[in-house]
Amino acid sequence: MTDIAPLRLPLALSREDLLADFRLAWESRHASLIGRKEALTGKAKFGIFGDGKELPQLALARVFRPGDFRSGYYRDQTFMMAVGQLSLDEFFAQLYADPDPVREPHSAGRQMNAHFATALRDREGRWRDLTAEPQSSADMSPTAGQMPRLVGLGYASRLYRELPALAGFTTFSKNGDEVAFGTIGNASCAEGHFWEAIDAIGVLRAPVVLSIWDDGYGISVPNEFQHTKANLGELLEGFRRHPGQRDGFDLYSVAGWDYAALLEAYRAAADTARREHVPAILHVRELTQPQGHSTSGSHERYKSKDRLAWEETHDGLRRFRAWLVDGGLAEPAELDALERQAATAARDAQRRAWEAFQQPIRDEQRAFVALATSLAERSAAGEEIRAALAGLERAQTALRRQIQATAHEVLIATRAEGSAERDALAAWTAGHLVANRELYDTDLHASGGFSPLAVEPVAATYRDDSPTVNGFEVLNACFDAALARMPQLVAFGEDVGKLGDVNQGFLGLQEKHGVLRVADTGIREQTIMGQAIGLAMRGLRPIAEIQYLDYVLYGLQTLSDDLASLRWRSAGRQAAPVIVRTRGHRLEGVWHAGSPMGGLVNLVRGMWICVPRNMTQAAGMYNTLLAGDDPAIVVEVLNGYRQKERLPANIAELRVPLGVPEILRAGSDVTLVTYGACCRLAIEAADLLAKTGIEAEVVDVQTLLPFDRPGVVVESLRKTNRLVIVDEDVPGGASAFMLQQIVERAGGFWWLDAPPVTVTASEHRPVYGSDGDYFSKPGREEIFRAVYAQARELAPARFPPIGVRVRAPLRRGSA
Ligand SMILES: Cc1ncc(C[n+]2csc(CCOP(=O)(O)OP(=O)(O)O)c2C)c(N)n1
């Protein structure tokens, strides 16, 4: 990489600008210094700070405009302060995990300190004008986790500039002039996310400016154990754009203590990215970490004396000061005064934030102590109660959990007593518990009219001449209509563009709607997910395809950590209504027939999971999701694309409600609960069972998340009193989830006359070939055996043995 020659004066910035930067840098530094003490003295649980990284962040803030997006990590407090999106009070409120969304707007106490998010949505979930302020996507802790979404945040500018139909979306973009700025630590660049995202950004020519904060270490591990040749700059050389060419990145290598060079590099990188949509990488070298990685350890344990001494002389703030003084821009005494003012501002903010955080909890504590003291006066356990209260009042930090713990101790100690005082305390404790649970329990999904659960269902209608077509043609008609009515809708994935996806759902739609709206991507599931998240955060509606369900695992970290948690972790400030389209359950072999639904159900709470049994149901679910504001995964049935279905006359309006099961076959003896590809098998098994006098009711749950909102399954159990769940995931996978939902959550237990049964796939992966499939996944006969065996247990005389004895638990169902 070429070094930028350090720029000397004059700069476009005024002396006042530079002094303001100097003071802000020191405010941020003092916030770090005080913050560490707050953690070490136990007032905060943990602290991670941006000391040593102040200067490049100030330079970055100087080129950052309203409407630009940051996708960064926990070192960026100075930047956030410099663009006016983080006050010192907010910084400390988050350090204390203050759950008040006004005092701690970034995550309402849900995230560790230094995890930032700006308000893309208002309190009701409506979009705000994204171009009015500098924006930051919500941070998260997994290293490099911010990289996939950076792809989409940058790429959105291209779509806004190049798609004429988006010209009216002026509260989202001004002609695609926005730049997405990424930040990442040097060690996190060892993650695959980093390289995949860089490659995708380059291919997409997304206006991204990525800063690498290189302080030589990842906690204790130096660059020689992170990167080939210990040199990221050299590794990135292959991405360099050659003179006169359009593809590639502009690369800059700058010392992190050289403010003039940083300003110059950021100006050049941001201008080109904004104007020409050419991405850039700034390798910001020679940064320091004066207080070490975080409050969980000290860097003296792993840095040499020489390195520690070097860090002192290369501290950015020290160099900044020298540069201002040597350049004749400021007097030492003037800078001393600014430093003092900064220290006072940080200290005052810390005190205010602490008081504001503690005040309401102390008030609650006082209310509790008053009630508990009244009880103590008339209780036989008075002594014990007073001792518990004294312990509570001695604590340095008032915490609601301590109030709850003490309240429970008091209520347990007085459990045999009856008094108005005790009743009052018990009621207060319950109210306090519920209120505090609710404090943390908002915003997992969209609410009110934005929720896809609020979308009015529309049943499929057919004309006399409605044609019978292949399943994929139903989807094709649905997508075509959606692309026509929603200019902000884009679809992409491997083979989605030119081919129209491997099963032709998008056949011909690229030709019709354009290469930017129906697009091919590289084989990069993680950043296909990230591309979708970034686009959706900027107001677009992506349908992002993962070619086969088994490959969702490649994108799962991003889905689970970023997308599914986004609305919740930003306390409703941000959301990304991404639709992940995939296909699976049953085709051939280990990686084209898996059905890891239990894993998904557990890992993507915050998303909806749709498992349509055919393409008409799938189309109705896509329409419902597009009318809502939540992220979701739709798993189409792999072997359904060539099955014949009638094309609904209202394919564009059809809307299937989420979480509403359908009874596919009525019966009074047993309830067979299933979804997706297993629906067909369950019906075949039910036909076979009917020959033995057992009438099975087959219920298609249609979506796993949400699960059976009206309670259709329990309604069926009231009639049949027997439950068999059929699922092609491993034993204890999605079937266990369904069992919990039916038996525990919905109270199905009370209607059961026999132990519930799950019929699932084997623990090993699905085997290749038709016989392999039969002996590793549930089939008609296995479902029959399970139901018949259950019936025999209750009425052996009525159901004589079929004679197929199988050793449980290898394969369920001796009959
Ligand atoms: C996926 C993941 N692995 C490990 C960690 C634990 N961890 C937190 S920060 C960190 C080091 C990151 O170093 P670097 O990227 O250089 O950033 P720096 O903290 O030095 O600014 C590690 C290993 C994590 N947060 N996420």
Side-chain angles (χ1 to χ4, degrees), residues 53 73-75 141-143 184-189 191 213 215 217-219 289 293:
K53 315 282 190 299
Y73 76 116
Y74 50 76
R75 295 285 177 215
S141 303
T143 52
I184 186 167
N186 51 291
S188 301
C189 298
E191 295 278 12
W213 306 145
D215 57 17
Y217 291 83
I219 309 187
Q289 206 148 263
H293 174 78

